[in-house]
Amino acid sequence: MNKSLITNVIAGILVVTGFLFDQAIVLSIGLFALSGAVTNLLAVHMLFEKVPLLYGSGVIQLKFAGLKVAIKNLILTEFFSEQKISQLLGNKAIDIDLQPVISEVDLNPAFDTLLDVIEHSQFGSMLAMIGGSAAVEPMRESFIEKMRDSLIVMSQTDEFKTLVNSKLTKTSLASDSLFTTVSGLVDDRLNELTPKMVKDIMQTMIREHLGWLVVWGGVFGGLFGLIAAII
């Protein structure tokens, strides 16, 4: 179900109905609802796509570098802290399987980082108009689930396992050496990402939930239209 399309269609019907039947209140509600819905629809589109002559559009791609740094810090902090590296060196496991670790890691900081990036971008002021970070809070669980799946897939690649395992089998390997190696591997992986790839990943994770911004834009716009018509 396309929530954005349905909201705009309903608002459009109200506009046409109010105009054809000379119902000022209905027309006002429809116009304000359509304005709110279309504005938020454009805002959602601008979050992912660059629009000519519209400054600040394509914020996900503009903040590409910041998002990569945040992902790297999350991986190194949560999965390869000094304590976890010491445990790995002590076990010298032959088959590296980080899935149990990833399954238990709290990924809420990753979502909070995303919110911080959005709030401090050009999109932040528009987001604040429709409730701020609370408006996108419902997408938290979906984001965490998708992020966890992506990290598990990355940790299960043959290249990742081979590299970590080869380092673990060297008795002379120190914790800081393993950390440096893993850090370099993460950098290599992230450098393979392009702004478009990051945009597609984020779009898959959260765009469905951002459709509610369009719905609430239409609802609150309609309420403002009702108030304006009564006044």
Side-chain angles (χ1 to χ4, degrees):
M1 180 179 65
N2 191 321
K3 297 183 285 292
S4 301
L5 177 60
I6 293 176
T7 302
N8 282 284
V9 168
I10 292 175
I13 291 174
L14 290 175
V15 171
V16 174
T17 301
F19 178 77
L20 293 179
F21 295 94
D22 195 24
Q23 297 292 322
I25 293 181
V26 175
L27 179 60
S28 179
I29 292 175
L31 286 173
F32 275 77
L34 187 61
S35 175
V38 170
T39 298
N40 283 2
L41 181 62
L42 179 60
V44 172
H45 180 75
M46 288 173 58
L47 181 61
F48 298 101
E49 306 291 346
K50 293 185 67 65
V51 180
L53 304 181
L54 291 183
Y55 175 73
S57 60
V59 64
I60 293 296
Q61 298 186 63
L62 289 175
K63 298 295 181 178
F64 169 65
L67 287 172
K68 287 206 304 182
V69 171
I71 293 173
K72 176 183 176 181
N73 290 338
L74 172 69
I75 294 174
L76 296 182
T77 301
E78 295 293 343
F79 304 148
F80 292 97
S81 63
E82 183 177 350
Q83 179 182 2
K84 288 185 174 64
I85 288 178
S86 297
Q87 292 174 350
L88 286 173
L89 289 173
N91 293 332
K92 291 184 174 20
I94 299 302
D95 185 16
I96 304 301
D97 183 10
L98 292 178
Q99 181 171 352
V101 178
I102 297 174
S103 298
E104 296 179 3
V105 168
D106 180 14
L107 294 179
N108 281 287
F111 183 80
D112 294 335
T113 299
L114 172 64
L115 283 184
D116 184 67
V117 169
I118 295 176
E119 288 176 342
H120 288 85
S121 69
Q122 295 87 344
F123 185 74
S125 58
M126 186 170 294
L127 182 64
M129 295 175 60
I130 45 86
S133 59
V136 294
E137 186 63 30
M139 74 180 68
R140 179 181 291 271
E141 291 302 321
S142 177
F143 174 87
I144 291 176
E145 181 182 351
K146 297 288 186 181
M147 175 66 76
R148 196 182 306 279
D149 290 342
S150 297
L151 291 174
I152 289 175
V153 170
M154 186 186 79
S155 71
Q156 292 177 339
T157 60
D158 291 337
E159 180 184 355
F160 187 93
K161 287 186 175 183
T162 300
L163 179 58
V164 176
N165 189 57
S166 66
K167 296 299 181 181
L168 288 177
T169 55
K170 296 180 180 179
T171 56
S172 61
L173 181 67
S175 296
D176 57 348
S177 178
L178 177 57
F179 183 86
T180 301
T181 300
V182 173
S183 178
L185 177 61
V186 172
D187 279 333
D188 290 341
R189 286 292 184 181
L190 291 179
N191 287 334
E192 294 175 3
L193 294 176
T194 65
K196 182 179 183 303
M197 290 169 65
V198 171
K199 182 206 73 173
D200 291 340
I201 293 172
M202 302 302 296
Q203 194 169 14
T204 300
M205 289 181 181
I206 67 178
R207 186 156 196 167
E208 177 183 352
H209 298 278
L210 289 178
W212 285 107
L213 295 182
V214 179
V215 174
W216 288 114
V219 171
F220 286 113
L223 291 176
F224 292 146
L226 176 61
I227 294 173
I230 294 176
I231 294 177

